[in-house]
Amino acid sequence: MISANNITLRVGKKALFEDVNIKFTEGNCYGLIGANGAGKSTFLKILSGQLEPTKGEVAITPGQRLSFLQQDHFKYDAYPVLDTVIMGNARLYEIMKEKEVIYAKEDFTDEDGIRASELEGEFAEMNGWEAESDAATLLNGLGIETEFHYMQMSELTGSQKVKVLLAQALFGNPDILLLDEPTNHLDLPAIEWLEEFLINFENTIIVVSHDRYFLNKVCTHTADIDYGKIQLYAGNYDFWFESSQLLIKQMKEANKKKEEKIKELQEFISRFSANASKSRQATSRKRALEKIQLDEMRPSSRKYPYIDFRPNREIGNEVLMVENLSKTIDGVKVLDNISFTLGHNDKVAFVGANEQAITTFFRILMGELEPDEGNYKWGVTTSQAYFPKDNTQEFDNDLTITDWLTQYSEIKDSTYVRGFLGRMLFPGEDGVKKVRVLSGGEKVRCLLSKMMISGANILILDEPTNHLDMESITALNNGLIKFPGVILFTSHDHQFVETTANRIMEILPNGTLIDKITTYDEYLASDEMAKKRHVYQVSEEDAEDN
């Protein structure tokens, strides 16, 4: 068990947390939620001991081991992959290294023998002989193949490092597991593996994630941070949302009844306070009035942007035709003879591990890249708005937010432009902020403002949920669901894809396309799609063997 006792953290004069008391018990998975800036990651750092609170203490059951997901992807570049995973159990790794030093001595003494014996006993108690195989199992489950296990961390890609650090956190069956955004940069198979791992994990888990589907699947409880306090709910994210909304509704109804009672008492007192025969009753009602306390209805710190894409023109029947399109990047064929036709009601999710292929395809459709072979044609009634995965160039200038958005608006009136910024949670004073200094989430909201102001009837979005908080993801999700035009998009957010798309396209590792008119969940459950992917994987293995 781990508990926070009277935790207060002050940053300057502001209290991020104030007298927080909460217990996290064994056998449960707690989803830690809250608006951006509420302090979710900070609270995990306090629990893990990386950050000292201003007041209060964190208590852990004696003898229990805590593990957390490291955020510095370069910290272990000097170490082999397997060693990095085993470092998740610091004491076990210390024993292994001390044993190596002792056994490497040429002048092995009696004292060395005694020490080695002690270490071997502790090593056996910690299942040390299984350490490498356990670490390899975790790595394989997350999609890091055996050929990478003995490489240096510095040789891995960013997404591979994320998986190794996740395996490190999971290693050795920790008693308390703290995970901050564990699904970031994971592909679908790795996320599914992690979900099953956490569901079957018998100890304590505390996880921060913006992935609603993930939280719904793994969490038994929800810990909601709001105004420096943490309220605990039994149940997953959806249950929290329904419970919190019901609680607000009940408080409003209770306050309404109290207000009606207050009005009734006040009217009686006003009418009869001067009446001698009624004075005793009036006095009694005054006492009753003083006892009525309205429930405090403090608004949540959560803020939902207003996302509403309104096309300037209705889309016709001819939307997009793609014929035999191919593209090779750095010697690898990422798109191979792709062909399809879009209809005017299509909302297409591009899924699969081949992220480079999806980004390349979107850039071709937007005219940023030329295909090697084949062609595509947009319908004459179409207009496109694009959300790029890499937005670096968009904000590499010294424009203010208002001036930046004005350049994309047909109406150059600053009041009109500020209206769009206001919907995306940029108050008036933020209009003079330089776009160069914006946070990742602020840049995403700027790009969505740009797409809204364009009036386009086709939206192309490459990982738009990255850097967004839960509230913004929900708002974007709802905005796309009601959008009357065509959408082509990709996202790792399961619920976002499932509720938005009516057509699924998967670009396989060999660059070919699977195209299915279906929901995302139906697609994932499809035997036909599983067989197609399996056939491809087998053929690839055969090709390597040959």
Side-chain angles (χ1 to χ4, degrees):
M1 183 187 77
I2 181 171
S3 62
N5 304 317
N6 298 313
I7 292 293
T8 295
L9 179 68
R10 294 189 177 277
V11 181
K13 294 182 179 180
K14 179 184 176 183
L16 192 57
F17 297 107
E18 192 78 56
D19 294 324
V20 169
N21 291 281
I22 188 170
K23 291 182 180 179
F24 303 98
T25 57
E26 290 180 14
N28 293 313
C29 178
Y30 299 85
L32 191 61
I33 64 171
N36 266 7
K40 300 183 292 294
S41 296
T42 301
F43 189 69
L44 284 190
K45 288 179 180 178
I46 292 173
L47 292 179
S48 66
Q50 299 175 80
L51 185 64
E52 283 292 325
T54 307
K55 187 183 76 171
E57 63 176 9
V58 173
I60 298 176
T61 301
Q64 291 198 337
R65 184 171 69 86
L66 181 146
S67 180
F68 60 90
L69 176 58
Q70 296 279 356
Q71 300 298 315
D72 183 353
H73 298 169
F74 304 99
K75 183 176 180 179
Y76 300 93
D77 275 2
Y79 297 93
V81 169
L82 270 181
D83 279 26
T84 302
V85 175
I86 296 172
M87 284 180 193
N89 189 332
R91 178 54 189 156
L92 178 61
Y93 188 72
E94 286 173 7
I95 292 171
M96 292 174 65
K97 292 296 134 181
E98 188 175 350
K99 281 172 55 184
E100 287 179 10
V101 171
I102 290 175
Y103 291 136
K105 286 185 175 182
E106 293 183 3
D107 53 341
F108 192 86
T109 66
D110 290 343
E111 288 77 10
D112 289 330
I114 293 170
R115 180 56 180 161
S117 177
E118 292 171 349
L119 292 173
E120 290 291 3
E122 191 176 354
F123 186 71
E125 285 179 7
M126 300 178 74
N127 294 321
W129 297 111
E130 311 293 329
E132 288 200 5
S133 62
D134 288 347
T137 298
L138 290 171
L139 290 168
N140 289 332
L142 288 165
I144 302 294
E145 300 301 331
T146 306
E147 63 189 274
F148 296 99
H149 294 187
Y150 298 94
M151 289 184 177
Q152 294 294 108
M153 284 289 286
S154 58
E155 299 178 74
L156 302 189
T157 65
S159 61
Q160 288 173 326
K161 287 181 180 180
V162 169
K163 291 180 178 181
V164 175
L165 294 179
L166 182 54
Q168 180 193 75
L170 303 179
F171 177 76
N173 194 36
D175 300 290
I176 300 160
L177 179 59
L178 309 182
L179 300 174
D180 192 354
E181 296 291 357
T183 61
N184 278 4
H185 309 292
L186 293 189
D187 50 41
L188 179 63
I191 292 174
E192 290 178 338
W193 181 90
L194 178 61
E195 287 170 351
E196 289 304 312
F197 183 95
L198 297 181
I199 288 169
N200 294 310
F201 191 75
E202 296 181 351
N203 298 330
T204 305
I205 309 168
I206 307 171
V207 58
V208 171
S209 176
H210 289 148
D211 189 326
R212 297 161 294 173
Y213 180 88
F214 177 77
L215 291 176
N216 280 330
K217 193 154 185 184
V218 304
C219 291
T220 60
H221 294 72
T222 300
D224 177 32
I225 302 179
D226 211 352
Y227 287 110
K229 300 292 184 181
I230 302 182
Q231 180 71 38
L232 190 61
Y233 295 80
N236 61 17
Y237 178 81
D238 280 351
F239 187 85
W240 161 80
F241 185 80
E242 291 170 6
S243 298
S244 60
Q245 295 303 304
L246 178 61
L247 182 62
I248 292 171
K249 181 181 178 183
Q250 289 173 339
M251 289 175 67
K252 285 181 177 178
E253 290 174 350
N255 276 353
K256 185 178 179 181
K257 290 179 181 178
K258 289 177 182 178
E259 287 168 352
E260 290 172 354
K261 185 65 176 178
I262 289 170
K263 185 179 179 181
E264 177 188 324
L265 292 172
Q266 287 174 334
E267 288 177 352
F268 185 92
I269 294 166
S270 178
R271 284 180 62 192
F272 298 112
S273 58
N275 188 322
S277 63
K278 298 280 189 179
S279 62
R280 181 174 293 181
Q281 295 178 44
T283 301
S284 175
R285 280 165 172 75
K286 281 182 181 178
R287 293 196 192 100
L289 181 60
E290 290 170 356
K291 292 179 181 178
I292 298 176
Q293 296 291 327
L294 294 177
D295 293 324
E296 184 183 3
M297 292 293 293
R298 192 175 189 183
S300 171
S301 59
R302 290 177 171 81
K303 295 181 180 179
Y304 290 82
Y306 179 71
I307 300 179
D308 187 20
F309 301 101
R310 297 184 182 182
N312 293 334
R313 181 179 184 181
E314 186 175 346
I315 201 165
N317 290 326
E318 293 184 3
V319 180
L320 173 66
M321 184 173 65
V322 177
E323 290 185 318
N324 309 121
L325 196 143
S326 297
K327 182 68 177 179
T328 298
I329 302 288
D330 296 330
V332 178
K333 201 163 195 176
V334 296
L335 301 172
D336 186 9
N337 201 34
I338 288 178
S339 298
F340 64 85
T341 301
L342 284 188
H344 65 279
N345 292 319
D346 284 339
K347 294 184 177 181
V348 186
F350 285 79
V351 302
N354 203 344
E355 296 180 15
Q356 184 188 31
I358 296 171
T359 296
T360 298
F361 181 63
F362 286 171
R363 293 185 65 195
I364 288 173
L365 293 183
M366 292 306 299
E368 294 184 1
L369 292 175
E370 288 291 328
D372 297 333
E373 300 173 25
N375 57 75
Y376 65 94
K377 181 181 179 182
W378 290 108
V380 294
T381 62
T382 65
S383 55
Q384 300 81 35
Y386 177 44
F387 182 102
K389 179 184 288 188
D390 182 1
N391 58 42
T392 306
Q393 290 186 342
E394 287 271 6
F395 300 101
D396 188 17
N397 56 72
D398 291 317
L399 294 175
T400 65
I401 297 177
T402 302
D403 290 341
W404 179 87
L405 187 57
T406 300
Q407 66 183 331
Y408 300 111
S409 174
E410 291 184 5
I411 300 172
K412 302 301 181 182
D413 178 64
S414 62
T415 303
Y416 174 78
V417 172
R418 284 176 183 268
F420 282 89
L421 292 173
R423 296 176 197 173
M424 296 305 292
L425 309 181
F426 291 106
E429 61 270 20
D430 276 359
V432 297
K433 209 172 178 181
K434 301 283 188 181
V435 295
R436 190 187 296 278
V437 301
L438 297 179
S439 68
E442 288 173 326
K443 288 177 179 178
V444 170
R445 285 188 274 122
C446 276
L447 288 171
L448 293 174
S449 299
K450 173 186 172 183
M451 296 182 79
M452 284 194 290
I453 210 168
S454 73
N457 53 26
I458 293 179
L459 306 178
I460 301 176
L461 304 106
D462 194 351
E463 295 289 357
T465 55
N466 289 354
H467 305 293
L468 289 183
D469 59 20
M470 201 90 75
E471 292 69 43
S472 296
I473 291 172
T474 300
L476 176 58
N477 198 169
N478 293 336
L480 294 180
I481 289 171
K482 67 181 182 180
F483 177 62
V486 170
I487 307 172
L488 294 86
F489 74 102
T490 185
S491 172
H492 287 296
D493 188 306
H494 187 116
Q495 187 170 337
F496 187 84
V497 176
E498 167 62 19
T499 55
T500 303
N502 57 24
R503 185 172 176 179
I504 305 296
M505 294 188 186
E506 179 175 1
I507 302 176
L508 294 173
N510 65 351
T512 60
L513 182 73
I514 295 175
D515 182 5
K516 193 84 170 177
I517 298 176
T518 183
T519 67
Y520 187 44
D521 284 344
E522 289 171 344
Y523 178 79
L524 293 176
S526 168
D527 289 338
E528 179 187 355
M529 296 304 105
K531 288 176 183 176
K532 285 184 178 179
R533 285 195 291 271
H534 177 69
V535 167
Y536 166 73
Q537 290 165 357
V538 171
S539 65
E540 281 289 287
E541 290 169 3
D542 290 343
E544 289 175 4
D545 291 341
N546 293 332

